[in-house]
Amino acid sequence: MHRRTFILSSGSSLAFTPLTASAIVNTLISDELITSPLKQFTKKDWLTIAIVQNHLFPSESDSPGAVEINALHYLHNFLNNPATDPLDSEFIHSGSRLLQQSTDGALSLSDQSIEQREITLRQFEKSNDGRRWLVTILNYVLEALLTDPVYGGNPENIGWQWLEHRAGEPRPPMNKRYWLL
């Protein structure tokens, strides 16, 4: 089954191309992520998460993917939010490390082809922790797709445009985000 069969297809004329691991590093792994208060996350952790996000929700010719919807930035904002349970951050971090360890002795996730990465992630999915981690990462990707842009995902309403969704009014201003109330 196609990854996006469960999501409505859009008639928009968006054009995207899949990013390589090196393009993900250059595009997404910013100094903001490396120097954030989430000190336990290394550049390799963020890269692992970004690669998995991009693999689970890739860019396609007619739809945005994890990169275009700022899924990594959204996840960072969520984990860095004072209202977020520290256990959520620890779970994401430990899952990233567990996935990195599962590739020890083999090509790292960033060096694998899409086919090799699919095999690695399917193997990782066989463990309860691995499956739970992958589902959690996909949930955050979908949140980034559907969130109001004020929370760091869905820039310029790209996800809403793709889904032909009209946002409710009033939308939250930056100073009224839920954790500030």
Side-chain angles (χ1 to χ4, degrees), residues 106-140:
L107 289 175
S108 71
L109 213 55
S110 61
D111 295 328
Q112 292 180 358
S113 68
I114 291 172
E115 294 78 17
Q116 291 169 318
R117 203 172 295 141
E118 180 71 21
I119 292 167
T120 298
L121 293 176
R122 290 291 178 182
Q123 190 64 34
F124 187 64
E125 178 186 38
K126 289 180 181 177
S127 73
N128 287 338
D129 288 339
R131 181 174 181 78
R132 205 173 104 217
W133 188 80
L134 289 169
V135 167
T136 300
I137 294 298
L138 182 58
N139 283 338
Y140 285 121

Short mmCIF file of all heavy atoms in Angstrom, two decimals, residues 106-140:
data_model
loop_
_atom_site.label_atom_id
_atom_site.label_comp_id
_atom_site.label_asym_id
_atom_site.label_seq_id
_atom_site.Cartn_x
_atom_site.Cartn_y
_atom_site.Cartn_z
N ALA A 106 27.31 -2.16 9.78
CA ALA A 106 26.75 -2.02 8.43
C ALA A 106 26.86 -0.55 8.03
O ALA A 106 27.39 0.27 8.78
CB ALA A 106 25.28 -2.45 8.43
N LEU A 107 26.38 -0.25 6.88
CA LEU A 107 26.35 1.15 6.46
C LEU A 107 25.47 1.95 7.41
O LEU A 107 24.41 1.48 7.82
CB LEU A 107 25.78 1.28 5.04
CG LEU A 107 26.63 0.80 3.88
CD1 LEU A 107 25.83 0.89 2.57
CD2 LEU A 107 27.90 1.61 3.78
N SER A 108 25.89 3.17 7.74
CA SER A 108 25.03 4.02 8.56
C SER A 108 23.80 4.38 7.75
O SER A 108 23.80 4.30 6.51
CB SER A 108 25.78 5.27 9.00
OG SER A 108 25.97 6.13 7.91
N LEU A 109 22.76 4.77 8.43
CA LEU A 109 21.51 5.11 7.77
C LEU A 109 21.71 6.15 6.67
O LEU A 109 21.11 6.06 5.60
CB LEU A 109 20.52 5.64 8.82
CG LEU A 109 19.06 5.36 8.65
CD1 LEU A 109 18.77 3.89 8.50
CD2 LEU A 109 18.26 5.95 9.79
N SER A 110 22.59 7.11 6.92
CA SER A 110 22.82 8.17 5.93
C SER A 110 23.55 7.68 4.69
O SER A 110 23.47 8.31 3.63
CB SER A 110 23.59 9.34 6.56
OG SER A 110 24.85 8.91 7.02
N ASP A 111 24.24 6.55 4.78
CA ASP A 111 24.97 6.01 3.63
C ASP A 111 24.18 4.93 2.88
O ASP A 111 24.65 4.44 1.86
CB ASP A 111 26.31 5.42 4.09
CG ASP A 111 27.24 6.49 4.63
OD1 ASP A 111 27.17 7.64 4.15
OD2 ASP A 111 28.02 6.18 5.56
N GLN A 112 23.03 4.58 3.40
CA GLN A 112 22.25 3.51 2.78
C GLN A 112 21.40 4.04 1.63
O GLN A 112 20.95 5.19 1.64
CB GLN A 112 21.32 2.86 3.82
CG GLN A 112 22.05 2.09 4.88
CD GLN A 112 21.11 1.47 5.89
OE1 GLN A 112 19.90 1.64 5.84
NE2 GLN A 112 21.68 0.73 6.84
N SER A 113 21.15 3.17 0.68
CA SER A 113 20.21 3.49 -0.39
C SER A 113 18.80 3.44 0.20
O SER A 113 18.60 2.94 1.31
CB SER A 113 20.32 2.47 -1.54
OG SER A 113 19.85 1.20 -1.10
N ILE A 114 17.83 3.92 -0.54
CA ILE A 114 16.44 3.89 -0.08
C ILE A 114 16.02 2.45 0.21
O ILE A 114 15.37 2.18 1.22
CB ILE A 114 15.51 4.56 -1.10
CG1 ILE A 114 15.79 6.06 -1.14
CG2 ILE A 114 14.04 4.29 -0.78
CD1 ILE A 114 15.07 6.81 -2.24
N GLU A 115 16.42 1.53 -0.66
CA GLU A 115 16.06 0.13 -0.47
C GLU A 115 16.70 -0.46 0.78
O GLU A 115 16.05 -1.18 1.55
CB GLU A 115 16.46 -0.70 -1.71
CG GLU A 115 15.70 -0.36 -2.97
CD GLU A 115 16.18 0.93 -3.67
OE1 GLU A 115 17.31 1.42 -3.38
OE2 GLU A 115 15.42 1.46 -4.49
N GLN A 116 17.98 -0.16 1.00
CA GLN A 116 18.67 -0.64 2.20
C GLN A 116 18.05 -0.04 3.45
O GLN A 116 17.89 -0.72 4.46
CB GLN A 116 20.16 -0.28 2.14
CG GLN A 116 20.93 -1.03 1.09
CD GLN A 116 22.32 -0.44 0.89
OE1 GLN A 116 22.50 0.78 0.87
NE2 GLN A 116 23.30 -1.32 0.75
N ARG A 117 17.71 1.24 3.38
CA ARG A 117 17.09 1.93 4.51
C ARG A 117 15.73 1.29 4.84
O ARG A 117 15.39 1.13 6.01
CB ARG A 117 16.91 3.41 4.17
CG ARG A 117 16.82 4.30 5.36
CD ARG A 117 16.85 5.76 4.97
NE ARG A 117 18.13 6.11 4.38
CZ ARG A 117 18.27 6.94 3.34
NH1 ARG A 117 17.23 7.50 2.78
NH2 ARG A 117 19.46 7.22 2.87
N GLU A 118 14.98 0.93 3.82
CA GLU A 118 13.68 0.27 4.04
C GLU A 118 13.89 -1.04 4.79
O GLU A 118 13.15 -1.35 5.74
CB GLU A 118 12.98 0.03 2.70
CG GLU A 118 11.63 -0.63 2.81
CD GLU A 118 10.54 0.25 3.39
OE1 GLU A 118 10.67 1.49 3.38
OE2 GLU A 118 9.55 -0.32 3.88
N ILE A 119 14.89 -1.81 4.40
CA ILE A 119 15.18 -3.09 5.07
C ILE A 119 15.59 -2.83 6.52
O ILE A 119 15.11 -3.50 7.44
CB ILE A 119 16.27 -3.86 4.30
CG1 ILE A 119 15.72 -4.33 2.95
CG2 ILE A 119 16.80 -5.03 5.13
CD1 ILE A 119 16.78 -4.83 1.99
N THR A 120 16.45 -1.84 6.74
CA THR A 120 16.90 -1.51 8.09
C THR A 120 15.72 -1.10 8.97
O THR A 120 15.59 -1.56 10.11
CB THR A 120 17.94 -0.37 8.05
OG1 THR A 120 19.08 -0.81 7.32
CG2 THR A 120 18.36 0.07 9.45
N LEU A 121 14.85 -0.24 8.45
CA LEU A 121 13.72 0.24 9.24
C LEU A 121 12.69 -0.87 9.47
O LEU A 121 12.08 -0.94 10.54
CB LEU A 121 13.08 1.46 8.58
CG LEU A 121 13.96 2.71 8.58
CD1 LEU A 121 13.29 3.84 7.81
CD2 LEU A 121 14.32 3.15 9.99
N ARG A 122 12.51 -1.75 8.50
CA ARG A 122 11.60 -2.90 8.69
C ARG A 122 12.14 -3.82 9.78
O ARG A 122 11.38 -4.36 10.59
CB ARG A 122 11.40 -3.67 7.39
CG ARG A 122 10.60 -2.95 6.36
CD ARG A 122 9.17 -2.83 6.77
NE ARG A 122 8.42 -2.09 5.77
CZ ARG A 122 7.16 -1.80 5.88
NH1 ARG A 122 6.48 -2.16 6.94
NH2 ARG A 122 6.55 -1.12 4.94
N GLN A 123 13.45 -4.01 9.80
CA GLN A 123 14.07 -4.83 10.85
C GLN A 123 13.91 -4.16 12.21
O GLN A 123 13.56 -4.81 13.19
CB GLN A 123 15.55 -5.06 10.52
CG GLN A 123 16.23 -6.06 11.39
CD GLN A 123 15.66 -7.46 11.21
OE1 GLN A 123 15.25 -7.87 10.14
NE2 GLN A 123 15.62 -8.21 12.30
N PHE A 124 14.14 -2.85 12.26
CA PHE A 124 14.00 -2.07 13.49
C PHE A 124 12.56 -2.13 14.00
O PHE A 124 12.31 -2.19 15.20
CB PHE A 124 14.44 -0.63 13.22
CG PHE A 124 14.51 0.25 14.43
CD1 PHE A 124 15.40 -0.01 15.46
CD2 PHE A 124 13.69 1.37 14.54
CE1 PHE A 124 15.47 0.82 16.57
CE2 PHE A 124 13.75 2.20 15.64
CZ PHE A 124 14.64 1.93 16.66
N GLU A 125 11.62 -2.14 13.07
CA GLU A 125 10.19 -2.16 13.39
C GLU A 125 9.77 -3.46 14.08
O GLU A 125 8.76 -3.49 14.78
CB GLU A 125 9.41 -1.98 12.08
CG GLU A 125 7.92 -2.03 12.20
CD GLU A 125 7.24 -2.00 10.84
OE1 GLU A 125 7.75 -2.63 9.89
OE2 GLU A 125 6.20 -1.36 10.74
N LYS A 126 10.55 -4.50 13.94
CA LYS A 126 10.19 -5.80 14.52
C LYS A 126 10.27 -5.81 16.04
O LYS A 126 9.64 -6.63 16.69
CB LYS A 126 11.07 -6.90 13.93
CG LYS A 126 10.72 -7.20 12.49
CD LYS A 126 11.59 -8.29 11.92
CE LYS A 126 11.23 -8.53 10.45
NZ LYS A 126 12.10 -9.54 9.85
N SER A 127 11.05 -4.90 16.61
CA SER A 127 11.09 -4.81 18.07
C SER A 127 9.98 -3.87 18.53
O SER A 127 9.59 -2.95 17.81
CB SER A 127 12.45 -4.28 18.55
OG SER A 127 12.56 -2.90 18.28
N ASN A 128 9.46 -4.11 19.73
CA ASN A 128 8.40 -3.25 20.25
C ASN A 128 8.83 -1.80 20.37
O ASN A 128 8.09 -0.89 19.99
CB ASN A 128 7.91 -3.76 21.62
CG ASN A 128 7.08 -5.01 21.48
OD1 ASN A 128 6.52 -5.29 20.44
ND2 ASN A 128 7.01 -5.77 22.57
N ASP A 129 10.05 -1.58 20.89
CA ASP A 129 10.55 -0.21 21.03
C ASP A 129 10.75 0.44 19.68
O ASP A 129 10.45 1.62 19.49
CB ASP A 129 11.86 -0.19 21.83
CG ASP A 129 11.64 -0.48 23.31
OD1 ASP A 129 10.51 -0.31 23.79
OD2 ASP A 129 12.62 -0.86 23.97
N GLY A 130 11.27 -0.33 18.74
CA GLY A 130 11.50 0.22 17.40
C GLY A 130 10.20 0.61 16.72
O GLY A 130 10.08 1.69 16.14
N ARG A 131 9.22 -0.26 16.81
CA ARG A 131 7.91 0.03 16.21
C ARG A 131 7.28 1.26 16.86
O ARG A 131 6.77 2.14 16.18
CB ARG A 131 7.00 -1.18 16.34
CG ARG A 131 5.63 -0.97 15.71
CD ARG A 131 4.81 -2.26 15.73
NE ARG A 131 3.53 -2.11 15.12
CZ ARG A 131 3.30 -2.10 13.81
NH1 ARG A 131 4.31 -2.24 12.96
NH2 ARG A 131 2.09 -1.95 13.34
N ARG A 132 7.31 1.30 18.18
CA ARG A 132 6.73 2.44 18.90
C ARG A 132 7.44 3.74 18.53
O ARG A 132 6.81 4.78 18.35
CB ARG A 132 6.81 2.18 20.40
CG ARG A 132 5.78 2.94 21.19
CD ARG A 132 5.79 2.53 22.64
NE ARG A 132 6.45 3.62 23.33
CZ ARG A 132 7.27 3.50 24.34
NH1 ARG A 132 7.56 2.34 24.83
NH2 ARG A 132 7.82 4.54 24.89
N TRP A 133 8.76 3.69 18.38
CA TRP A 133 9.53 4.88 18.02
C TRP A 133 9.16 5.35 16.61
O TRP A 133 8.95 6.54 16.39
CB TRP A 133 11.03 4.60 18.14
CG TRP A 133 11.87 5.81 17.98
CD1 TRP A 133 12.14 6.76 18.93
CD2 TRP A 133 12.56 6.23 16.79
NE1 TRP A 133 12.95 7.74 18.40
CE2 TRP A 133 13.23 7.43 17.10
CE3 TRP A 133 12.68 5.71 15.51
CZ2 TRP A 133 14.01 8.12 16.17
CZ3 TRP A 133 13.46 6.38 14.59
CH2 TRP A 133 14.11 7.58 14.91
N LEU A 134 9.10 4.42 15.67
CA LEU A 134 8.75 4.80 14.29
C LEU A 134 7.34 5.39 14.20
O LEU A 134 7.12 6.38 13.51
CB LEU A 134 8.89 3.59 13.36
CG LEU A 134 10.32 3.13 13.09
CD1 LEU A 134 10.32 1.77 12.40
CD2 LEU A 134 11.09 4.16 12.27
N VAL A 135 6.41 4.80 14.92
CA VAL A 135 5.04 5.34 14.94
C VAL A 135 5.03 6.74 15.54
O VAL A 135 4.36 7.65 15.04
CB VAL A 135 4.08 4.38 15.71
CG1 VAL A 135 2.76 5.06 16.03
CG2 VAL A 135 3.87 3.11 14.92
N THR A 136 5.80 6.94 16.60
CA THR A 136 5.88 8.26 17.24
C THR A 136 6.47 9.28 16.28
O THR A 136 5.95 10.40 16.16
CB THR A 136 6.72 8.17 18.53
OG1 THR A 136 6.09 7.24 19.43
CG2 THR A 136 6.86 9.53 19.20
N ILE A 137 7.54 8.92 15.59
CA ILE A 137 8.15 9.84 14.62
C ILE A 137 7.15 10.19 13.52
O ILE A 137 6.99 11.36 13.15
CB ILE A 137 9.44 9.24 14.02
CG1 ILE A 137 10.53 9.10 15.10
CG2 ILE A 137 9.95 10.07 12.84
CD1 ILE A 137 10.98 10.40 15.72
N LEU A 138 6.43 9.20 13.01
CA LEU A 138 5.42 9.46 11.98
C LEU A 138 4.30 10.35 12.52
O LEU A 138 3.83 11.25 11.82
CB LEU A 138 4.85 8.15 11.43
CG LEU A 138 3.82 8.32 10.30
CD1 LEU A 138 4.42 9.08 9.11
CD2 LEU A 138 3.32 6.96 9.84
N ASN A 139 3.90 10.14 13.76
CA ASN A 139 2.87 11.00 14.35
C ASN A 139 3.32 12.46 14.38
O ASN A 139 2.54 13.37 14.07
CB ASN A 139 2.51 10.53 15.76
CG ASN A 139 1.61 9.32 15.76
OD1 ASN A 139 0.93 9.03 14.78
ND2 ASN A 139 1.62 8.59 16.86
N TYR A 140 4.58 12.69 14.75
CA TYR A 140 5.09 14.07 14.78
C TYR A 140 5.19 14.65 13.37
O TYR A 140 4.98 15.85 13.17
CB TYR A 140 6.43 14.16 15.50
CG TYR A 140 6.29 14.06 17.01
CD1 TYR A 140 6.93 13.05 17.71
CD2 TYR A 140 5.50 14.96 17.72
CE1 TYR A 140 6.79 12.95 19.09
CE2 TYR A 140 5.36 14.86 19.09
CZ TYR A 140 6.01 13.85 19.78
OH TYR A 140 5.88 13.75 21.14
#
